[in-house]
Amino acid sequence: MNVPSQAQLNDTLGQTYRLVLPWGESMPVELVRVSSGVPMNTRYCCYAAEFALPAGTQLGQAVYTLAPPAPGGDALSWPLLLTPIGPAEDGPVLMEAVFHYPVPQVQAESAGA
């Protein structure tokens, strides 16, 4: 599966990612929150990540490419649907990615699915 795990995101909380816009431009975004969600059943996992846009920037819902803050991050990038969820308390606009997908069968069986 080509998406970041919740653990990967938690490990980079507060770090800067590179967001590539559909028309090719890119900008830095900060990962400001990672939260657990409610999966539809034990065979799924669910979590969300919020990214702060640079001051004065607003974007609409779209599929963007997100590159992690690591050497060679572009090679590890993910296409993600990001949705604007309003401004943070300190002002920047936040974009959210929600992840909801089946867990590997072995993991689901050990969870009692």
Side-chain angles (χ1 to χ4, degrees), residues 13-98:
L13 193 60
Q15 294 186 24
T16 301
Y17 282 69
R18 191 170 69 83
L19 184 68
V20 181
L21 309 178
W23 50 91
E25 294 178 44
S26 67
M27 67 177 65
V29 294
E30 180 186 351
L31 177 58
V32 295
R33 182 175 175 183
V34 179
S35 56
S36 295
V38 179
M40 71 172 130
N41 60 44
T42 58
R43 294 185 309 261
Y44 286 79
C45 66
C46 184
Y47 53 96
E50 295 176 15
F51 298 89
L53 297 177
T57 304
Q58 292 189 357
L59 296 172
Q61 177 176 301
V63 174
Y64 299 95
T65 300
L66 189 69
D74 286 349
L76 306 171
S77 63
W78 311 285
L80 299 176
L81 175 64
L82 292 170
T83 302
I85 58 170
E89 290 178 14
D90 58 355
V93 172
L94 298 175
M95 300 289 283
E96 180 180 54
V98 176

